[in-house]
Amino acid sequence: MAAHVFAQRLQGVSESATLKLNALVQELKQQGQDIVNLTAGEPDFAPPEAVKEAVIDAVRRDQNRYTPVPGLPELRRLIAERTNSQQPELARQQPWGAPNVVVSNGGKQAIFSALQALVDPGDAVLIPAPYWLSYPEMTKLAQGRPVILATEAKAGWKLAPSELSRALDQAGSRARVLILNSPSNPTGILCSRAELTALGEVVRRHAGARDLWVISDEIYDSITFDNRPFCSFLSACPELAARTVTINGLSKRAAMTGWRVGWSVASAELTQALQTLQGQATSGINSLAQWASIAALKLPEEIYRQHTLVYERRRNLALEILGRSPKIKLVRPEGAFYAFLGIGAGLKPGEDSMGFCERALTEALVALVPGTPFGAPDHVRMSFALDDATLRRGCERLVEWLK
Ligand code: PLP
């Protein structure tokens, strides 16, 4: 029988590298290997008790039916309120309300839908590197063209406004979307208000000539260290509200990764388009997860702050140990729960981070995520969303192995 041919839009789209690597780690563990797994992309906490209770209560109240496609009205209202509190400059003039919110299956679906709604074949989607590895793949699925913007570790992985301006000029009228992600996966870098204002200024200058949008992925907003404040893009650039989609969710903040709750906040016009798209793709998300999310959003910030303090302590622990190896270069993470390690000095000739991770796994029994699919082939990502003892063991093994 002739081989099956799948749709062209799938050609060149990669499977999620983190998921693939995790499967390999599980396999080795099942063979009895003592692997220290530093690949986790999710919190190691449980959701707050009140959130668990809310699900049980929703089951008892028989909340079994389809919900409205964009989400339960109260949930959408709470999301709008929370977004307003992070964007007070905008909220004073033009607060978001429930009609600006679509609740999706994770922030992932929200970003996917936004790209589907905005990008036509051949449109340029500008993505600063290192990037969350799904952005370019989702862009390809929307038949767009990922345009990678270089940043440098020695400049703290910060996107220079001049680089953005250059890329926008080069993409010309095909420039359609800029994706921003602060705090960042994989670097843990946090953009300051001044940095976001400067990038927003470039967007504003170029937007006149083309219909340019910003997708601001703020999924790690509640995890920032050293008392550094998180700044939402539209707090720094409220004048860009009509062309910005803010993405967020409860996966990282409330340790609800498997419950699949994320959202977009955008103009009513775009929200209507996203609602149409989601209505034909998945409908409203799981009703029980939505009731849980209502409870999660009503909890005081303090509950989540506790988790952040734990991550901060672990970051300090990891930096202290990894700092002993001259072969590891590190930009101090300011948020999220990842460290992005420059391992150029530990590579064999012709090797990139893929080969390095394979060797680290089989020789040091430490699982790391290669930086290549994040756009940084001489880096690896490690997570500190795991207990102190395991984290210590993993970092020490790595430092020892690199000797
Ligand atoms: N954005 C970034 C930067 C992420 O790291 C992730 C998950 O790892 C997501 C979005 C999507 O998360 P979820 O779909 O679980 O909300």
Side-chain angles (χ1 to χ4, degrees), residues 344-362:
L347 294 178
K348 292 199 158 159
E351 188 182 53
D352 80 348
S353 64
M354 298 284 199
F356 181 91
C357 285
E358 269 173 41
R359 280 196 298 122
L361 188 56
T362 51

Side-chain angles (χ1 to χ4, degrees), residues 18 21-22 25 37-42 338 367-369 381-383:
T18 36
L21 207 91
N22 260 326
V25 171
N37 189 351
L38 301 181
T39 65
E42 56 187 332
Y338 309 105
L368 298 157
V369 183
R381 191 193 75 177
M382 61 158 278
S383 164

Side-chain angles (χ1 to χ4, degrees), residues 41 106-108 111 132 135 181 185 217 219-220 251-252 260-261:
K108 201 169 212 172
I111 301 166
W132 182 42
Y135 300 147
N181 173 219
N185 175 6
D217 179 353
I219 198 113
Y220 293 97
S251 285
K252 317 290 173 171
R260 311 307 300 129
V261 184

Side-chain angles (χ1 to χ4, degrees), residues 26-266:
Q26 293 316 324
E27 199 180 304
L28 286 170
K29 275 187 166 171
Q30 271 165 17
Q31 291 167 12
Q33 301 271 29
D34 169 31
I35 306 288
V36 175
N37 189 351
L38 301 181
T39 65
E42 56 187 332
D44 55 324
F45 300 105
E49 283 307 313
V51 174
K52 296 188 200 168
E53 288 301 327
V55 169
I56 295 166
D57 181 56
V59 173
R60 296 222 164 95
R61 287 188 295 112
D62 269 328
Q63 298 299 310
N64 306 310
R65 307 276 180 238
Y66 290 131
T67 69
V69 168
L72 293 169
E74 190 184 1
L75 178 55
R76 294 172 82 200
R77 187 183 57 72
L78 285 167
I79 291 167
E81 250 173 42
R82 179 169 188 273
T83 313
N84 288 333
S85 75
Q86 293 184 316
Q87 300 170 352
E89 300 78 3
L90 176 64
R92 275 196 289 279
Q93 309 153 28
Q94 196 194 329
W96 300 118
N100 301 106
V101 176
V102 177
V103 182
S104 306
N105 291 287
K108 201 169 212 172
Q109 188 186 16
I111 301 166
F112 186 90
S113 295
L115 289 168
Q116 291 288 330
L118 292 171
V119 173
D120 271 322
D123 280 351
V125 175
L126 279 61
I127 305 172
Y131 40 78
W132 182 42
L133 37 73
S134 290
Y135 300 147
E137 306 313 304
M138 288 182 182
T139 298
K140 289 183 225 163
L141 283 167
Q143 295 179 294
R145 186 166 56 88
V147 172
I148 306 305
L149 310 183
T151 70
E152 290 187 65
K154 64 174 186 286
W157 298 121
K158 297 290 167 80
L159 173 61
S162 56
E163 168 66 3
L164 175 59
S165 195
R166 187 201 57 74
L168 283 169
D169 281 338
Q170 198 168 22
S173 60
R174 297 316 301 266
R176 183 65 164 147
V177 178
L178 165 68
I179 304 185
L180 296 176
N181 173 219
S182 166
S184 147
N185 175 6
T187 62
I189 289 306
L190 180 66
C191 287
S192 70
R193 174 175 300 273
E195 286 157 357
L196 291 173
T197 304
L199 295 175
E201 179 54 31
V202 176
V203 170
R204 204 183 51 75
R205 257 202 334 266
H206 284 78
R210 64 212 96 190
D211 196 8
L212 180 63
W213 284 75
V214 176
I215 296 179
S216 182
D217 179 353
E218 305 185 357
I219 198 113
Y220 293 97
D221 63 353
S222 60
I223 311 174
T224 69
F225 307 139
D226 309 319
N227 290 319
R228 290 202 49 182
F230 162 76
C231 182
S232 177
F233 179 69
L234 286 184
S235 172
C237 309
E239 72 284 2
L240 294 176
R243 55 177 72 252
T244 297
V245 190
T246 304
I247 303 290
N248 216 316
L250 290 170
S251 285
K252 317 290 173 171
R253 174 183 168 78
M256 288 166 59
T257 43
W259 302 40
R260 311 307 300 129
V261 184
W263 55 78
S264 55
V265 180

